[in-house]
Amino acid sequence: MISPTALFALDTLLTEEEREIRSTVRRVCDREIRPHVAGWFEDGELPARELARTLGSVGVLGMHLDGYGCAGMGAVSYGLACLELEAADSGLRSLVSVQGSLAMYAIWKYGSEEQKQEWLPAMAAGERIGCFGLTEPDFGSDPGGMRTTAKREGGDWVLNGTKMWITNGSVSDVAVVWARTDEGVRGFLVPAGTPGFTVNDVKHKISLRASVTSELVLDGVRLPGEAMLPGARGLSGPLGCLNEARFGIVFGSMGAALDCLETAIAYAGDRQVFARPLASYQLTQEKLADMALELGKGLLLAVHLGRLKEAGTITPEQVSAGKLNNVREALEIARKCRTLLGASGVTLEYPVIRHSVNLESVLTYEGTSEIHTLVLGRALTGIGAFS
Ligand SMILES: Cc1cc2nc3c(=O)[nH]c(=O)nc-3n(C[C@H](O)[C@H](O)[C@H](O)COP(=O)(O)OP(=O)(O)OC[C@H]3O[C@@H](n4cnc5c(N)ncnc54)[C@H](O)[C@@H]3O)c2cc1C
């Protein structure tokens, strides 16, 4: 027997350091996350503060950023960490992606020196948590329509509006909020507890249940002039952050798929149907072979995009291609694995249905599959078909 990753000799593409990082994150997941995650999912709860400190202690929060207490690792190392986290649960990878690639990256890339010093070391250590508020109730795929405003009043800014579906919202110490100003879209750091800033959790989710999702309400929130991120002007600011987070999903989604496939292979080997192991039937082997192919292709694409990112040549269209392909194929793999587990596949005793419903959110956030299809369509034809 050969593992799905060994089939593609994936490790030959990785450095020793990258393999070590992968093992470290896997060990943390095995010890701190896997034994509990089905229970967190079932209860719709996540001990985000404890987990952030644990993940901070192994250096995965903002690990691809340089300085300010961040580990300064390469893109493939970061991707492999995302893969291991998402093999445990997409909610865990979401916590880390939002912290490192959205909130920390926004401050690291666009913040003033004072903002970086104030927030980044504590966020890298997991002592403080951040969220990223771009989506609104009426504007998700089209964030340019946002209604949240920030208006100058003397030296202050006053923010009004509502952000929706915000990961880490109610457990955050700081929200990066994007708002319309007289000079276009700008980003603001809104500390938790600022008067007029309230956060309500989204209830009744049946996907990403081991992840906090919230509404942010800004009602006359007054911030000092220096709360604005000086380096971000226009929508390219938040879109640049999303490109970072999407890259993590290219790897992460394959982690969820790998966990499903390994579970299904083990189950099919044990499960007797018509007096023979389920794995011995050709229909089963066809499913397993097809899934291993898509997994292997997705992993090779992820590593290739990682190397392009490390070389500084990756384009947003290439990240869109990776996100579109890998999430779509991961979801297909999760669904097919679910069939192999029969009725057991619908319980939380196995991780497969949890990954499957989690991936439904991953398909939608950080740009839906339709939006990434349109990005590729525009790249191939030169014609935008968004509106
Ligand atoms: C669990 C979860 C966590 C999230 N976390 C965050 C977060 O931390 N921060 C944040 O800012 N946002 C977050 N989001 C929001 C997410 O990014 C949006 O849900 C996403 O961008 C889609 O927006 P929407 O839900 O408003 O759907 P819509 O934009 O209303 O889209 C509905 C459907 O229309 C399709 N569609 C849209 N435009 C077109 C078009 N031009 N042509 C064809 N089809 C189109 C879409 O693809 C989709 O199928 C999160 C969402 C979820 C589910």
Side-chain angles (χ1 to χ4, degrees):
M1 278 173 72
I2 184 169
S3 76
T5 50
L7 184 63
F8 288 85
L10 190 78
D11 282 9
T12 63
L13 301 175
L14 307 177
T15 65
E16 199 179 327
E17 187 188 40
E18 287 163 349
R19 291 197 297 266
E20 269 169 27
I21 288 166
R22 183 179 61 183
S23 305
T24 303
V25 179
R26 187 177 296 172
R27 268 198 307 277
V28 172
C29 291
D30 285 347
R31 197 178 59 229
E32 311 278 346
I33 295 167
R34 283 181 189 274
H36 312 291
V37 70
W40 297 333
F41 184 98
E42 188 158 25
D43 297 340
E45 286 174 4
L46 186 75
R49 291 226 158 257
E50 293 88 316
L51 284 170
R53 275 189 218 102
T54 303
L55 295 165
S57 72
V58 290
V60 299
L61 301 177
M63 66 184 274
H64 60 309
L65 307 178
D66 281 319
Y68 306 98
C70 304
M73 295 288 175
V76 172
S77 295
Y78 173 54
L80 291 168
C82 288
L83 184 150
E84 291 301 329
L85 291 163
E86 195 145 1
D89 193 87
S90 301
L92 263 297
R93 202 266 309 136
S94 300
L95 169 72
V96 170
S97 287
V98 170
Q99 174 86 346
S101 289
L102 293 180
M104 289 175 73
Y105 181 81
I107 299 170
W108 181 85
K109 178 87 177 161
Y110 307 122
S112 65
E113 189 54 35
E114 293 71 32
Q115 289 168 335
K116 292 178 194 182
Q117 295 288 355
E118 181 180 359
W119 292 105
L120 292 179
M123 291 172 83
E127 284 154 15
R128 285 169 151 189
I129 298 180
C131 66
F132 182 89
L134 178 63
T135 304
E136 299 189 355
D138 293 330
F139 298 96
S141 300
D142 179 19
M146 72 173 69
R147 295 205 182 100
T148 299
T149 57
K151 292 207 159 59
R152 277 273 190 201
E153 277 192 21
D156 293 344
W157 287 99
V158 178
L159 272 64
N160 283 288
T162 304
K163 297 292 175 180
M164 192 60 188
W165 305 109
I166 307 306
T167 303
N168 297 350
S170 65
V171 294
S172 283
D173 301 285
V174 64
V176 176
V177 171
W178 300 94
R180 185 182 293 288
T181 73
D182 286 345
E183 47 193 63
V185 171
R186 307 292 311 242
F188 297 86
L189 299 186
V190 185
T194 305
F197 179 41
T198 49
V199 182
N200 309 301
D201 280 344
V202 174
K203 304 278 185 205
H204 311 300
K205 272 185 305 166
I206 54 168
S207 170
L208 279 189
R209 288 180 56 75
S211 174
V212 175
T213 313
S214 315
E215 174 195 50
L216 313 181
V217 182
L218 301 125
D219 182 9
V221 173
R222 184 173 289 275
L223 300 170
E226 58 270 21
M228 188 180 75
L229 296 171
R233 198 180 276 266
L235 263 188
S236 60
L239 296 186
C241 303
L242 289 169
N243 217 35
E244 287 295 301
R246 269 172 209 143
F247 171 78
I249 294 175
V250 177
F251 275 86
S253 53
M254 289 293 102
L258 178 61
D259 197 48
C260 290
L261 185 52
E262 286 178 343
T263 303
I265 291 170
Y267 186 89
D270 285 347
R271 176 73 176 170
Q272 301 288 314
V273 291
F274 296 93
R276 281 201 287 134
L278 175 59
S280 68
Y281 291 90
Q282 289 181 342
L283 280 178
T284 302
Q285 293 195 2
E286 184 186 35
K287 285 183 186 179
L288 296 176
D290 282 348
M291 291 190 285
L293 281 180
E294 291 309 328
L295 181 85
K297 289 189 277 183
L299 287 168
L300 293 174
L301 175 61
V303 174
H304 175 57
L305 294 182
R307 297 294 177 222
L308 292 181
K309 190 161 165 45
E310 287 169 352
T313 59
I314 196 167
T315 64
E317 290 77 14
Q318 289 166 341
V319 179
S320 283
K323 200 245 174 190
L324 175 63
N325 182 77
N326 284 11
V327 179
R328 185 162 69 189
E329 296 307 328
L331 195 49
E332 269 311 304
I333 288 171
R335 286 174 181 156
K336 210 175 267 183
C337 286
R338 217 288 306 149
T339 66
L340 284 171
L341 269 66
S344 298
V346 305
T347 75
L348 286 174
E349 197 180 329
Y350 296 92
V352 175
I353 191 78
R354 180 166 51 78
H355 284 308
S356 181
V357 293
N358 281 341
L359 286 166
E360 295 289 348
S361 285
V362 182
L363 192 71
T364 286
Y365 70 24
E366 314 277 357
T368 65
S369 50
E370 291 81 4
I371 292 297
H372 290 299
T373 302
L374 293 174
V375 168
L376 296 188
R378 182 179 57 190
L380 293 169
T381 64
I383 305 169
F386 293 86
S387 55

